[in-house]
Coordinates of all heavy atoms in Angstrom, one line a residue:
V621 N 24.5 65.9 40.8 CA 25.2 64.7 40.3 C 24.6 63.5 41.0 O 24.6 63.5 42.3 CB 26.7 64.8 40.5 CG1 27.3 63.5 40.0 CG2 27.2 66.0 39.8
P622 N 24.1 62.5 40.4 CA 23.6 61.2 41.0 C 24.8 60.5 41.7 O 25.9 60.6 41.3 CB 23.1 60.3 39.9 CG 23.2 61.1 38.6 CD 24.0 62.4 38.9
V623 N 24.5 59.7 42.7 CA 25.5 58.9 43.4 C 25.0 57.5 43.5 O 23.8 57.3 43.5 CB 25.9 59.4 44.8 CG1 26.6 60.8 44.6 CG2 24.8 59.4 45.8
I624 N 25.9 56.6 43.6 CA 25.6 55.1 43.8 C 26.1 54.8 45.2 O 27.2 55.0 45.6 CB 26.3 54.2 42.8 CG1 26.0 54.6 41.3 CG2 26.0 52.8 43.1 CD1 27.0 54.1 40.3
R625 N 25.1 54.3 46.0 CA 25.5 53.9 47.4 C 25.6 52.4 47.4 O 24.8 51.7 46.9 CB 24.6 54.5 48.4 CG 24.6 56.0 48.5 CD 23.9 56.5 49.7 NE 24.2 57.9 49.9 CZ 23.5 58.8 49.3 NH1 22.6 58.6 48.4 NH2 23.9 60.1 49.5
L626 N 26.6 51.9 48.2 CA 26.9 50.5 48.2 C 26.9 50.0 49.6 O 27.5 50.7 50.5 CB 28.3 50.2 47.6 CG 28.5 50.3 46.1 CD1 29.9 50.5 45.8 CD2 28.0 49.0 45.4
A627 N 26.3 48.9 49.9 CA 26.4 48.3 51.2 C 27.9 48.0 51.5 O 28.6 47.6 50.7 CB 25.6 46.9 51.3
G628 N 28.3 48.4 52.7 CA 29.7 48.1 53.1 C 30.7 49.2 52.6 O 31.9 49.0 52.8
R629 N 30.2 50.2 52.1 CA 31.1 51.3 51.6 C 30.6 52.6 52.0 O 29.4 53.0 51.6 CB 31.3 51.2 50.1 CG 32.2 52.3 49.6 CD 32.2 52.3 48.0 NE 32.7 53.6 47.6 CZ 34.0 53.8 47.1 NH1 34.7 52.8 47.0 NH2 34.4 54.9 46.7
E630 N 31.3 53.4 52.8 CA 30.8 54.6 53.2 C 30.7 55.7 52.2 O 29.7 56.4 52.1 CB 31.6 55.1 54.4 CG 30.9 56.0 55.4 CD 31.6 56.1 56.7 OE1 32.2 55.1 57.2 OE2 31.8 57.3 57.2
A631 N 31.7 55.8 51.4 CA 31.8 56.9 50.4 C 30.9 56.6 49.2 O 31.0 55.5 48.6 CB 33.2 57.1 49.9
P632 N 29.9 57.5 48.9 CA 29.1 57.3 47.7 C 30.0 57.3 46.4 O 31.0 58.1 46.4 CB 28.1 58.4 47.7 CG 28.4 59.3 48.9 CD 29.6 58.8 49.6
V633 N 29.6 56.6 45.4 CA 30.3 56.6 44.1 C 29.6 57.7 43.2 O 28.4 57.6 42.9 CB 30.3 55.2 43.5 CG1 30.9 55.2 42.1 CG2 31.0 54.2 44.4
P634 N 30.4 58.6 42.7 CA 29.8 59.6 41.8 C 29.3 58.9 40.5 O 30.0 58.0 40.0 CB 30.9 60.6 41.4 CG 32.0 60.2 42.4 CD 31.7 58.9 42.9
A635 N 28.1 59.3 40.0 CA 27.5 58.6 38.8 C 27.0 59.7 37.9 O 27.1 60.9 38.1 CB 26.4 57.7 39.3
S636 N 26.6 59.2 36.7 CA 26.1 60.1 35.6 C 25.1 59.3 34.8 O 25.3 58.1 34.6 CB 27.2 60.6 34.8 OG 26.8 61.0 33.5
P637 N 24.1 60.0 34.3 CA 23.1 59.3 33.4 C 23.8 58.9 32.1 O 23.3 58.1 31.4 CB 22.0 60.4 33.1 CG 22.3 61.5 34.0 CD 23.7 61.4 34.6
A638 N 25.0 59.4 31.8 CA 25.7 59.1 30.6 C 26.7 58.0 30.8 O 27.4 57.6 29.8 CB 26.4 60.4 30.0
I639 N 26.9 57.5 32.0 CA 28.0 56.5 32.3 C 27.3 55.4 32.9 O 26.5 55.5 33.9 CB 29.0 57.2 33.2 CG1 29.7 58.4 32.5 CG2 30.1 56.1 33.5 CD1 30.6 59.1 33.4
S640 N 27.6 54.2 32.5 CA 27.0 53.0 33.1 C 27.4 52.8 34.5 O 28.5 53.3 34.9 CB 27.4 51.7 32.3 OG 28.8 51.4 32.6
I641 N 26.6 52.2 35.3 CA 26.9 51.9 36.7 C 28.2 51.2 36.8 O 29.1 51.5 37.6 CB 25.8 51.2 37.4 CG1 24.6 52.1 37.6 CG2 26.2 50.6 38.7 CD1 23.4 51.5 38.3
L642 N 28.5 50.2 35.9 CA 29.7 49.5 35.9 C 30.9 50.4 35.8 O 31.9 50.2 36.6 CB 29.7 48.4 34.8 CG 31.0 47.6 34.6 CD1 31.2 46.7 35.8 CD2 31.1 46.8 33.3
V643 N 30.9 51.3 34.8 CA 32.1 52.1 34.6 C 32.3 53.1 35.8 O 33.4 53.3 36.2 CB 32.0 52.9 33.3 CG1 33.0 54.0 33.1 CG2 32.0 52.0 32.1
S644 N 31.2 53.6 36.4 CA 31.3 54.5 37.5 C 31.9 53.7 38.7 O 32.8 54.3 39.4 CB 29.9 55.0 37.9 OG 29.4 55.9 36.9
L645 N 31.5 52.5 38.9 CA 32.1 51.7 40.0 C 33.6 51.4 39.7 O 34.4 51.6 40.6 CB 31.4 50.4 40.1 CG 29.9 50.4 40.6 CD1 29.3 49.0 40.5 CD2 29.8 51.1 41.9
Q646 N 33.9 51.1 38.5 CA 35.3 50.8 38.1 C 36.2 51.9 38.3 O 37.3 51.8 38.7 CB 35.4 50.2 36.7 CG 34.8 48.8 36.5 CD 34.7 48.3 35.1 OE1 34.7 49.2 34.2 NE2 34.9 47.0 34.9
R647 N 35.7 53.1 38.0 CA 36.5 54.4 38.1 C 36.9 54.6 39.6 O 37.9 55.3 39.8 CB 35.7 55.5 37.6 CG 35.7 55.6 36.1 CD 34.9 56.9 35.7 NE 34.9 57.0 34.2 CZ 34.3 57.9 33.6 NH1 33.6 58.8 34.2 NH2 34.4 58.0 32.3
E648 N 36.1 54.2 40.5 CA 36.3 54.3 41.9 C 37.1 53.1 42.5 O 37.2 53.0 43.7 CB 35.0 54.6 42.7 CG 34.3 55.9 42.3 CD 35.2 57.1 42.7 OE1 35.6 57.1 44.0 OE2 35.5 57.9 41.9
G649 N 37.4 52.2 41.7 CA 38.1 51.0 42.1 C 37.3 50.0 42.9 O 37.8 49.1 43.6
V650 N 36.0 50.0 42.7 CA 35.1 49.1 43.4 C 35.2 47.8 42.7 O 35.2 47.7 41.4 CB 33.6 49.6 43.3 CG1 32.6 48.5 43.9 CG2 33.5 50.9 44.1
R651 N 35.3 46.7 43.5 CA 35.4 45.4 42.8 C 34.1 44.8 42.3 O 33.2 44.7 43.1 CB 36.0 44.4 43.9 CG 37.5 44.7 44.2 CD 37.9 44.0 45.5 NE 37.7 42.6 45.5 CZ 38.6 41.8 45.1 NH1 39.8 42.2 44.6 NH2 38.4 40.4 45.0
I652 N 34.0 44.5 41.1 CA 32.8 43.9 40.5 C 33.3 43.2 39.2 O 34.1 43.6 38.4 CB 31.8 45.0 40.1 CG1 30.6 44.4 39.4 CG2 32.4 46.1 39.3 CD1 29.4 45.3 39.2
E653 N 32.8 42.0 39.1 CA 33.1 41.2 37.9 C 32.5 41.7 36.6 O 31.4 42.3 36.6 CB 32.7 39.7 38.0 CG 33.5 39.0 39.1 CD 33.3 37.5 39.1 OE1 32.6 37.0 38.2 OE2 33.7 36.8 40.1
S654 N 33.3 41.6 35.5 CA 32.8 42.2 34.2 C 33.6 41.4 33.1 O 34.4 42.0 32.3 CB 33.1 43.6 34.1 OG 34.5 44.0 34.3
L655 N 33.4 40.1 33.0 CA 34.2 39.3 32.1 C 34.1 39.7 30.7 O 35.1 39.6 29.9 CB 33.7 37.8 32.3 CG 34.0 37.2 33.6 CD1 33.6 35.7 33.6 CD2 35.4 37.3 34.1
C656 N 32.9 40.2 30.2 CA 32.8 40.5 28.8 C 33.1 42.0 28.5 O 33.0 42.4 27.4 CB 31.3 40.2 28.4 SG 30.1 41.4 29.0
G657 N 33.5 42.7 29.5 CA 34.0 44.1 29.3 C 32.7 45.0 29.0 O 32.9 46.1 28.4
G658 N 31.6 44.7 29.6 CA 30.5 45.6 29.5 C 29.6 45.4 28.3 O 29.0 46.4 27.8
R659 N 29.6 44.3 27.7 CA 28.8 44.1 26.4 C 27.5 43.2 26.6 O 27.0 42.7 25.6 CB 29.8 43.4 25.4 CG 30.9 44.3 24.9 CD 31.8 43.6 23.9 NE 32.6 42.6 24.6 CZ 32.8 41.4 24.0 NH1 32.2 41.1 22.9 NH2 33.5 40.5 24.7
A660 N 27.0 43.1 27.8 CA 25.8 42.4 28.1 C 25.9 40.9 27.7 O 24.9 40.3 27.4 CB 24.7 43.1 27.4
M661 N 27.1 40.4 27.7 CA 27.3 39.0 27.3 C 27.5 38.1 28.5 O 27.1 36.9 28.4 CB 28.6 38.9 26.4 CG 28.6 39.8 25.2 SD 27.6 39.1 23.9 CE 28.5 37.7 23.4
C662 N 28.1 38.5 29.5 CA 28.5 37.5 30.6 C 27.6 37.5 31.7 O 27.5 36.5 32.4 CB 29.9 37.8 31.1 SG 30.0 39.3 32.1
G663 N 26.9 38.6 32.0 CA 25.9 38.6 33.1 C 26.6 38.7 34.5 O 26.0 38.7 35.5
R664 N 27.9 38.8 34.5 CA 28.6 38.8 35.8 C 28.6 40.1 36.6 O 28.8 40.2 37.8 CB 30.2 38.4 35.6 CG 30.4 37.1 35.0 CD 29.8 36.0 35.8 NE 30.5 35.8 37.1 CZ 30.1 35.1 38.1 NH1 29.0 34.4 38.0 NH2 30.8 35.1 39.3
C665 N 28.2 41.2 35.9 CA 28.2 42.5 36.5 C 26.8 42.7 37.2 O 26.5 43.9 37.5 CB 28.4 43.5 35.5 SG 27.1 43.7 34.3
A666 N 26.0 41.7 37.4 CA 24.7 41.9 38.0 C 24.7 42.6 39.3 O 25.7 42.4 40.1 CB 24.1 40.5 38.2
V667 N 23.8 43.6 39.5 CA 23.7 44.2 40.8 C 22.2 44.2 41.2 O 21.3 44.2 40.4 CB 24.2 45.7 40.7 CG1 25.6 45.8 40.4 CG2 23.4 46.5 39.6
R668 N 22.0 44.1 42.5 CA 20.7 44.1 43.1 C 20.3 45.6 43.4 O 21.1 46.2 44.2 CB 20.6 43.3 44.3 CG 19.2 43.1 44.9 CD 19.2 41.9 45.9 NE 19.5 40.6 45.2 CZ 20.6 39.9 45.3 NH1 21.6 40.3 46.1 NH2 20.7 38.8 44.6
I669 N 19.2 46.1 42.9 CA 18.8 47.5 43.2 C 18.1 47.5 44.5 O 17.0 46.9 44.6 CB 18.0 48.0 42.0 CG1 18.6 47.7 40.7 CG2 17.7 49.5 42.3 CD1 20.0 48.3 40.5
V670 N 18.6 48.1 45.5 CA 18.0 48.2 46.8 C 17.0 49.4 46.8 O 15.9 49.3 47.4 CB 19.0 48.3 47.9 CG1 18.4 48.4 49.3 CG2 20.0 47.1 47.8
A671 N 17.5 50.5 46.2 CA 16.6 51.7 46.2 C 16.9 52.5 44.9 O 18.1 52.5 44.5 CB 16.8 52.5 47.4
G672 N 15.9 53.2 44.4 CA 16.1 54.1 43.2 C 15.9 53.4 41.9 O 16.3 54.0 40.9
G673 N 15.3 52.3 41.9 CA 15.1 51.5 40.7 C 14.4 52.3 39.6 O 14.6 52.2 38.4
D674 N 13.4 53.2 40.1 CA 12.7 54.0 39.1 C 13.5 55.1 38.5 O 13.1 55.8 37.5 CB 11.5 54.6 39.8 CG 11.8 55.4 41.1 OD1 12.8 55.0 41.7 OD2 11.2 56.4 41.4
L675 N 14.8 55.3 39.0 CA 15.7 56.3 38.4 C 16.7 55.7 37.4 O 17.6 56.4 37.0 CB 16.4 57.1 39.5 CG 15.4 57.8 40.5 CD1 16.2 58.3 41.7 CD2 14.7 58.9 39.8
L676 N 16.5 54.5 37.1 CA 17.4 53.9 36.2 C 16.9 53.8 34.8 O 15.7 53.8 34.5 CB 17.7 52.4 36.6 CG 18.3 52.3 38.0 CD1 18.4 50.8 38.5 CD2 19.7 53.0 38.1
S677 N 17.8 53.7 33.8 CA 17.4 53.6 32.4 C 16.6 52.3 32.2 O 16.7 51.3 33.0 CB 18.7 53.5 31.5 OG 19.6 52.4 32.0
V678 N 15.6 52.3 31.3 CA 14.8 51.1 31.1 C 15.7 50.0 30.4 O 16.5 50.3 29.5 CB 13.6 51.5 30.1 CG1 12.8 50.3 29.7 CG2 12.8 52.6 30.8
P679 N 15.6 48.8 30.9 CA 16.4 47.7 30.3 C 16.1 47.5 28.8 O 14.9 47.5 28.4 CB 16.1 46.5 31.1 CG 14.8 46.8 31.9 CD 14.7 48.3 32.0
R680 N 17.1 47.4 28.0 CA 17.0 47.0 26.6 C 16.9 45.4 26.5 O 17.1 44.8 27.4 CB 18.2 47.5 25.8 CG 18.1 49.0 25.7 CD 19.3 49.6 24.9 NE 20.5 49.4 25.7 CZ 21.7 49.9 25.4 NH1 21.8 50.5 24.2 NH2 22.7 49.8 26.2
Q681 N 16.5 45.0 25.3 CA 16.2 43.6 25.1 C 17.4 42.7 25.4 O 17.2 41.7 26.1 CB 15.7 43.3 23.7 CG 15.1 42.0 23.5 CD 13.9 41.7 24.4 OE1 13.0 42.5 24.5 NE2 14.0 40.6 25.1
R682 N 18.6 43.2 25.0 CA 19.7 42.2 25.3 C 20.0 42.1 26.8 O 20.5 41.0 27.2 CB 21.0 42.7 24.5 CG 21.4 44.1 24.9 CD 22.7 44.4 24.0 NE 23.0 45.8 24.3 CZ 24.2 46.3 23.9 NH1 25.1 45.5 23.3 NH2 24.5 47.5 24.2
E683 N 19.7 43.2 27.6 CA 19.9 43.0 29.0 C 18.8 42.1 29.5 O 19.1 41.2 30.4 CB 19.8 44.4 29.7 CG 19.9 44.2 31.2 CD 19.8 45.6 31.9 OE1 19.6 46.6 31.3 OE2 19.8 45.5 33.2
L684 N 17.6 42.2 29.1 CA 16.5 41.4 29.5 C 16.8 39.9 29.2 O 16.6 39.0 30.0 CB 15.2 41.8 29.0 CG 14.7 43.2 29.4 CD1 13.5 43.5 28.6 CD2 14.4 43.2 30.8
D685 N 17.4 39.7 28.0 CA 17.7 38.3 27.6 C 18.8 37.7 28.5 O 18.7 36.6 28.9 CB 18.2 38.3 26.2 CG 17.2 38.6 25.2 OD1 15.9 38.5 25.6 OD2 17.5 38.9 24.0
R686 N 19.8 38.5 28.8 CA 20.9 38.0 29.6 C 20.4 37.8 31.1 O 20.8 36.8 31.7 CB 22.0 39.0 29.6 CG 23.3 38.5 30.2 CD 23.9 37.3 29.4 NE 24.1 37.9 28.0 CZ 23.7 37.2 26.9 NH1 23.3 36.0 27.0 NH2 24.0 37.7 25.7
L687 N 19.6 38.7 31.6 CA 19.1 38.5 32.9 C 18.2 37.2 33.1 O 18.4 36.5 34.0 CB 18.2 39.7 33.4 CG 18.9 41.0 33.6 CD1 18.0 42.2 33.7 CD2 19.8 40.9 34.9
R688 N 17.5 37.0 32.1 CA 16.7 35.7 32.0 C 17.7 34.5 32.0 O 17.4 33.6 32.8 CB 15.8 35.7 30.9 CG 14.7 34.6 31.0 CD 13.7 34.5 29.8 NE 13.3 35.9 29.4 CZ 13.7 36.4 28.3 NH1 14.4 35.7 27.3 NH2 13.2 37.6 27.9
E689 N 18.6 34.6 31.2 CA 19.6 33.5 31.1 C 20.3 33.2 32.4 O 20.6 32.0 32.7 CB 20.7 33.9 30.1 CG 20.8 32.9 29.0 CD 21.8 33.5 27.9 OE1 23.0 33.6 28.3 OE2 21.4 33.7 26.8
I690 N 20.6 34.2 33.2 CA 21.4 34.0 34.4 C 20.4 33.7 35.6 O 20.8 33.6 36.8 CB 22.3 35.1 34.8 CG1 21.6 36.4 35.1 CG2 23.4 35.3 33.7 CD1 22.5 37.5 35.6
G691 N 19.1 33.7 35.3 CA 18.1 33.4 36.3 C 17.9 34.5 37.3 O 17.7 34.3 38.5
A692 N 18.2 35.7 36.9 CA 18.1 36.9 37.8 C 16.7 37.1 38.4 O 15.7 36.9 37.6 CB 18.5 38.1 37.1
T693 N 16.6 37.5 39.6 CA 15.3 37.7 40.2 C 14.9 39.2 40.0 O 15.8 40.0 39.5 CB 15.3 37.4 41.7 OG1 16.5 38.1 42.3 CG2 15.5 36.0 41.9
D694 N 13.7 39.6 40.4 CA 13.3 41.0 40.2 C 14.3 41.9 40.9 O 14.7 41.6 42.0 CB 11.9 41.1 40.8 CG 10.8 40.7 39.9 OD1 11.2 40.3 38.7 OD2 9.6 40.8 40.2
G695 N 14.5 43.1 40.3 CA 15.3 44.1 41.0 C 16.8 43.9 40.7 O 17.6 44.7 41.2
V696 N 17.1 42.9 39.9 CA 18.5 42.7 39.5 C 18.7 43.3 38.1 O 17.9 43.1 37.2 CB 18.9 41.3 39.5 CG1 20.3 41.0 38.9 CG2 18.9 40.7 40.9
R697 N 19.8 44.1 37.9 CA 20.1 44.7 36.6 C 21.6 44.4 36.3 O 22.4 44.0 37.2 CB 20.0 46.3 36.7 CG 18.5 46.7 36.9 CD 17.6 46.5 35.8 NE 18.1 47.1 34.5 CZ 17.8 48.4 34.1 NH1 17.0 49.1 34.9 NH2 18.3 48.8 33.0
L698 N 22.0 44.6 35.0 CA 23.3 44.5 34.6 C 24.0 45.8 34.8 O 23.5 46.8 34.1 CB 23.4 44.0 33.2 CG 23.0 42.5 32.9 CD1 23.2 42.2 31.5 CD2 23.6 41.5 33.9
A699 N 25.0 45.9 35.6 CA 25.6 47.3 35.8 C 26.1 47.9 34.5 O 26.1 49.1 34.4 CB 26.7 47.2 36.9
C700 N 26.5 47.1 33.6 CA 27.1 47.6 32.4 C 26.0 48.2 31.4 O 26.4 48.8 30.4 CB 28.0 46.6 31.7 SG 27.1 45.2 30.9
Q701 N 24.8 47.8 31.7 CA 23.7 48.2 30.8 C 22.7 49.3 31.4 O 21.7 49.6 30.9 CB 22.9 47.0 30.3 CG 23.8 45.9 29.6 CD 24.3 46.5 28.3 OE1 23.7 47.0 27.5 NE2 25.7 46.3 28.3
T702 N 23.1 49.7 32.6 CA 22.2 50.5 33.4 C 22.8 51.9 33.7 O 23.9 52.0 34.2 CB 21.9 49.8 34.8 OG1 21.4 48.5 34.4 CG2 20.8 50.5 35.5
F703 N 22.0 52.9 33.5 CA 22.4 54.3 33.6 C 21.5 55.0 34.6 O 20.4 55.1 34.4 CB 22.4 55.0 32.2 CG 23.3 54.3 31.2 CD1 23.0 53.1 30.6 CD2 24.5 54.9 30.9 CE1 23.8 52.5 29.7 CE2 25.4 54.3 30.0 CZ 25.0 53.1 29.4
P704 N 22.1 55.6 35.6 CA 21.2 56.2 36.7 C 21.0 57.8 36.4 O 22.0 58.5 36.2 CB 22.0 56.0 38.0 CG 23.5 56.0 37.5 CD 23.5 55.6 36.1
R705 N 19.8 58.2 36.6 CA 19.6 59.6 36.5 C 19.3 60.3 37.9 O 19.0 61.4 38.0 CB 18.5 60.0 35.5 CG 17.1 59.5 35.9 CD 16.0 60.0 34.9 NE 14.7 59.6 35.4 CZ 14.2 58.4 35.2 NH1 14.8 57.5 34.5 NH2 13.0 58.1 35.7
G706 N 19.4 59.4 38.9 CA 19.3 59.9 40.3 C 20.0 58.9 41.2 O 20.7 58.0 40.7
D707 N 19.9 59.2 42.5 CA 20.6 58.4 43.5 C 20.1 57.0 43.6 O 18.9 56.8 43.6 CB 20.5 59.0 44.8 CG 21.3 60.4 44.9 OD1 21.8 60.8 43.9 OD2 21.3 60.9 46.0
V708 N 21.0 56.0 43.6 CA 20.6 54.6 43.8 C 21.3 53.9 44.8 O 22.5 54.4 45.2 CB 20.7 53.8 42.4 CG1 19.8 54.3 41.4 CG2 22.1 53.9 41.9
R709 N 20.8 52.9 45.4 CA 21.5 52.1 46.4 C 21.5 50.7 45.8 O 20.5 50.1 45.4 CB 20.8 52.1 47.7 CG 21.5 51.3 48.8 CD 20.8 51.5 50.1 NE 20.9 52.8 50.6 CZ 21.9 53.2 51.5 NH1 22.9 52.4 51.8 NH2 21.9 54.5 51.9
I710 N 22.7 50.0 45.7 CA 22.8 48.7 45.1 C 23.6 47.8 45.9 O 24.4 48.2 46.8 CB 23.4 48.8 43.7 CG1 24.9 49.3 43.8 CG2 22.7 49.8 42.8 CD1 25.6 49.2 42.5
E711 N 23.5 46.5 45.6 CA 24.4 45.5 46.1 C 25.0 44.7 45.0 O 24.3 44.4 44.0 CB 23.7 44.4 47.0 CG 23.2 44.9 48.3 CD 22.2 44.0 49.0 OE1 22.0 42.9 48.5 OE2 21.7 44.4 50.1
I712 N 26.3 44.5 45.0 CA 27.0 43.8 43.9 C 26.8 42.3 44.2 O 27.1 41.8 45.2 CB 28.5 44.2 43.9 CG1 28.6 45.7 43.5 CG2 29.3 43.4 42.9 CD1 30.0 46.3 43.7
V713 N 26.4 41.7 43.0 CA 26.2 40.2 43.2 C 27.5 39.4 43.2 O 27.6 38.5 43.9 CB 25.2 39.7 42.1 CG1 25.0 38.2 42.1 CG2 23.8 40.4 42.2
N714 N 28.3 39.8 42.2 CA 29.6 39.1 42.0 C 30.8 40.0 42.3 O 31.4 40.5 41.3 CB 29.7 38.5 40.7 CG 28.6 37.6 40.4 OD1 28.3 36.6 41.1 ND2 27.8 37.9 39.4
P715 N 31.2 40.4 43.5 CA 32.4 41.1 43.7 C 33.6 40.3 43.2 O 33.7 39.1 43.6 CB 32.5 41.4 45.2 CG 31.2 40.8 45.8 CD 30.7 39.9 44.8
G716 N 34.4 40.9 42.5 CA 35.5 40.0 42.0 C 36.7 40.9 41.7 O 36.9 41.9 42.4
S717 N 37.4 40.6 40.6 CA 38.6 41.4 40.3 C 38.0 42.7 39.7 O 36.8 42.8 39.3 CB 39.4 40.8 39.2 OG 38.6 40.7 38.0
T718 N 38.7 43.8 39.7 CA 38.2 45.1 39.2 C 38.3 45.2 37.7 O 37.8 46.1 37.1 CB 39.1 46.2 39.8 OG1 40.5 45.9 39.5 CG2 38.9 46.4 41.2
S719 N 38.9 44.2 37.0 CA 39.0 44.3 35.6 C 37.8 43.6 34.9 O 37.0 42.9 35.5 CB 40.3 43.6 35.1 OG 40.2 42.2 35.5
Ligands
LIG835 S1 30.1 43.1 32.1 FE1 29.4 41.3 31.1 S2 27.3 41.6 31.1 FE2 28.0 43.4 32.1

């Protein structure tokens, strides 16, 4: 089972290639903004990929469009649009409410 590791959190978050990083984080109560509810609309769920980027799903066009809109730098993905098939290490760009 893949895990997501976070700076500042000891316990890894269980993940799945079938579940977005956003949903996996929310299930563990990790604080991350998600204003649009995971629809690639708000860009608030951005995460910086520290390690394991090659184990992530390839970004689709709507994610690429949103990333460009928010001025994301290389290595930033939308947690709601990204599915891990192996272990990754990330940093949350906008920790906020859990909803
Ligand atoms: S939750 Fe809005 S873009 Fe991911």
Side-chain angles (χ1 to χ4, degrees):
V621 178
V623 297
I624 302 164
R625 292 194 171 80
L626 289 157
R629 179 191 163 98
E630 207 165 313
V633 172
S636 161
I639 300 172
S640 73
I641 287 179
L642 177 67
V643 169
S644 290
L645 295 175
Q646 289 174 329
R647 284 181 175 178
E648 292 295 306
V650 173
R651 290 163 58 86
I652 177 170
E653 288 192 9
S654 59
L655 296 182
C656 74
R659 292 179 291 133
M661 302 285 287
C662 70
R664 298 301 296 170
C665 67
V667 292
R668 187 164 295 108
I669 308 303
V670 180
D674 52 331
L675 299 172
L676 298 175
S677 56
V678 173
R680 288 176 291 182
Q681 192 58 48
R682 61 179 173 167
E683 179 183 358
L684 294 172
D685 291 346
R686 193 67 56 226
L687 288 169
R688 193 179 320 111
E689 236 175 63
I690 66 173
T693 52
D694 278 359
V696 171
R697 297 289 305 267
L698 295 182
C700 72
Q701 302 297 308
T702 305
F703 299 76
R705 63 175 187 277
D707 295 359
V708 294
R709 182 178 292 272
I710 67 171
E711 290 169 4
I712 293 169
V713 174
N714 303 301
S717 69
T718 51
S719 61

